[in-house]
Amino acid sequence: MRLAIIGGGAAGMMASIFAAKKGVFVDLYERNEKLGKKLYITGKGRCNLTNACDMEELLGNVRSNPRFLYSAFYRFTNQDTMDFFEKEGLKLKVERGKRVFPESDRSADVLDTLRRAMKRAGVHVHLNGRVESVHREGELFFLDLQGRKTVEADRVFIATGGLSYESTGSTGDGYRFAEEMGLKVTECCPSLVPFHIKETFVKELQGLALKNIAIRILDGKKILCEDFGELLFTHFGVSGPVILTASSICGKKTQEKELKLLLDLKPALTKEQLDARILREFETAKNKKFANAASVFFPAKLTPVMVALSGISPDKRIHEITKEERQRFLSNMKELELTITGTGGYNEAVVTKGGVSVKEINPATMESKKVPGLYFIGEVLDLDALTGGFNLQIAWSTAVAAAESIGRN
């Protein structure tokens, strides 16, 4: 049996190894000059390759169609992922949030591990091998490569990824192949992506990271999302773990309307407790200027912004501040209001939400129900999860499910 895999990212590489080990002749076509471009930049170059949580938590972190993944996740679990890499010689470590990284903190080592395993398994890699179209005639598939060359295969795996980080080769080709074969592709949008903010003062805060803050996102009075963790200000808005997670939950809403983002800068304190603390600080600094006294509550870059938002003159003496002014200062600390106007584009998104409809795919094998012999694995499917190694686990598990199914055949 001859298998053609289109796409040399995480899913394509893993599938090629498992299929070749089953005795299948594997051709892998990668449009770029090297394999795993997106995997290389994953986890800020450290490659968070899975998460060491239990299965319930693993499935709970999948945002789109988690039930579809039951079979694949149990066939090739997160523990199986760790075992695979360690048996291939890559030492791993588990960090905060049960995130799994290579001990070296180098995504290049993950790629090297996969490439070595591919070479040992006998995978035939075709770099700069862009597939322009796929069609089926009888029992065979024909792949038209750039340069007018046509190759044939008995089975085809589409592992082209989504639309995020186009520079890595994610251009949506897999969606086009699916639609040309008669499969449905759901609406796509960037996910795990920063928010754009209307308020101009965020530019003054660029590069500032706030740890242990709480966020709430509102559509009118309806709460869409609440979370706690780290936030990062950018030149156009906000990013960081809590924001990326929030974008997965309410990213589509931001395309329809503006939403409110409320930041609680002191979530460990109730309003009453925070007011008591402010009074204590003000009591010890009653003759100081407000701008100087306020600095005790915030990082240096944030202090002038919070002073300006309070409406209190920076030069006003603490003992002259009224109760109403103090309450307004407190309210900004507990509910700093920002306006979300949209999200970043695909080149800022970690993953793509949407893709080939899982209703068209056999969840045990990743094979198309309409086109026998055609399989879809990884991000090209309508599957996405939160940050923490969960999206890569989707890639590994769907890849192995497909590879093992054709190996049995």
Side-chain angles (χ1 to χ4, degrees):
M1 180 189 293
R2 190 161 196 146
L3 167 65
I5 298 177
I6 306 174
M13 286 189 283
M14 185 66 88
S16 74
I17 295 165
F18 276 76
K21 283 181 177 180
K22 293 284 186 180
V24 177
F25 189 95
V26 180
D27 285 303
L28 185 146
Y29 298 93
E30 167 54 46
R31 62 179 289 157
N32 290 314
E33 74 286 356
K34 59 185 177 182
L35 298 170
K37 269 193 165 184
K38 186 176 178 184
L39 193 63
Y40 185 76
I41 61 174
T42 299
K44 297 180 180 177
R46 297 174 61 217
C47 193
N48 178 194
L49 53 88
T50 190
N51 194 287
C53 63
D54 60 30
M55 187 57 68
E56 184 179 351
E57 190 176 345
L58 187 66
L59 287 161
N61 277 276
V62 177
R63 294 298 308 168
S64 301
N65 304 306
R67 289 186 178 183
F68 175 83
L69 285 165
Y70 276 27
S71 177
F73 272 1
Y74 277 101
R75 180 186 294 275
F76 192 76
T77 67
N78 45 356
Q79 186 59 56
D80 291 330
T81 297
M82 291 183 276
D83 290 345
F84 167 82
F85 281 103
E86 288 182 328
K87 284 175 183 175
E88 292 291 339
L90 183 69
K91 293 183 178 180
L92 305 177
K93 61 180 178 179
V94 180
E95 296 189 356
R96 179 179 56 84
K98 301 178 183 176
R99 298 171 184 233
V100 180
F101 292 90
E103 199 173 85
S104 64
D105 282 331
R106 285 167 39 89
S107 58
D109 292 340
V110 177
L111 279 167
D112 287 343
T113 301
L114 290 166
R115 282 193 289 254
R116 284 195 303 268
M118 290 169 71
K119 188 174 182 179
R120 281 197 300 272
V123 177
H124 300 263
V125 178
H126 306 269
L127 298 176
N128 297 305
R130 180 176 182 179
V131 177
E132 295 188 327
S133 66
V134 181
H135 60 279
R136 185 178 179 182
E137 294 179 16
E139 296 297 314
L140 289 177
F141 290 90
F142 293 88
L143 284 63
D144 298 318
L145 305 182
Q146 195 170 39
R148 298 189 176 180
K149 181 181 178 182
T150 300
V151 296
E152 62 182 56
D154 300 293
R155 302 284 187 275
V156 175
F157 286 5
I158 307 295
T160 49
L163 291 163
S164 57
Y165 293 117
E166 184 180 346
S167 60
T168 66
S170 299
T171 57
D173 285 349
Y175 304 145
R176 178 169 55 82
F177 298 153
E179 289 177 330
E180 288 172 354
M181 288 282 195
L183 280 73
K184 180 184 177 184
V185 176
T186 65
E187 182 184 357
C188 296
C189 69
S191 188
L192 301 181
V193 65
F195 285 142
H196 289 180
I197 298 297
K198 179 187 287 187
E199 285 73 17
T200 57
F201 64 75
V202 296
K203 291 181 181 179
E204 301 171 41
L205 302 174
Q206 181 180 350
L208 174 65
L210 298 178
K211 296 183 178 180
N212 303 320
I213 57 108
I215 70 163
R216 195 156 23 117
I217 297 178
L218 303 178
D219 178 5
K221 293 184 178 180
K222 182 182 178 182
I223 298 174
L224 300 179
C225 171
E226 292 182 290
D227 203 357
F228 174 87
E230 184 175 340
L231 176 145
L232 173 70
F233 287 97
T234 70
H235 67 286
F236 57 80
V238 286
S239 187
V242 292
I243 297 301
L244 298 185
T245 296
S247 76
S248 179
I249 297 168
C250 52
K252 283 187 178 180
K253 280 275 187 183
T254 65
Q255 297 174 359
E256 303 165 1
K257 60 176 76 173
E258 292 184 348
L259 303 175
K260 281 185 183 178
L261 169 61
L262 301 179
L263 308 185
D264 184 347
L265 304 178
K266 305 291 180 183
L269 303 175
T270 65
K271 284 189 176 182
E272 292 74 18
Q273 291 169 330
L274 181 56
D275 193 28
R277 186 190 164 192
I278 293 171
L279 284 169
R280 285 196 303 273
E281 296 292 347
F282 279 9
E283 182 62 29
T284 60
K286 60 176 66 177
N287 292 316
K288 282 187 176 182
K289 292 180 179 180
F290 175 56
N292 295 333
S295 64
V296 72
F297 297 104
F298 314 108
K301 190 177 276 192
L302 183 57
T303 299
V305 171
M306 295 302 293
V307 168
L309 291 174
S310 73
I312 304 170
S313 169
D315 296 326
K316 194 168 188 176
R317 301 290 172 177
I318 291 297
H319 68 268
E320 297 174 335
I321 292 175
T322 66
K323 180 180 179 181
E324 290 74 18
E325 288 173 326
R326 190 183 79 243
Q327 289 298 317
R328 191 164 61 245
F329 179 55
L330 181 155
S331 293
N332 280 336
M333 276 199 261
K334 293 296 287 181
E335 290 190 337
L336 177 58
E337 186 174 315
L338 303 174
T339 308
I340 302 171
T341 58
T343 67
Y346 285 111
N347 270 338
E348 298 171 76
V350 176
V351 295
T352 303
K353 182 181 284 291
V356 176
S357 172
V358 295
K359 293 177 181 178
E360 313 256 356
I361 305 298
N362 182 329
T365 65
M366 303 299 132
E367 185 176 16
S368 165
K369 294 176 182 177
K370 289 182 177 178
V371 186
L374 182 66
Y375 299 71
F376 292 84
I377 56 176
E379 193 183 341
V380 71
L381 289 163
D382 183 10
L383 300 167
D384 65 276
L386 302 181
T387 57
F390 304 106
N391 286 290
L392 270 179
Q393 187 58 47
I394 291 174
W396 311 133
S397 294
T398 56
V400 173
E404 292 196 338
S405 75
I406 70 160
R408 288 193 302 273
N409 293 337

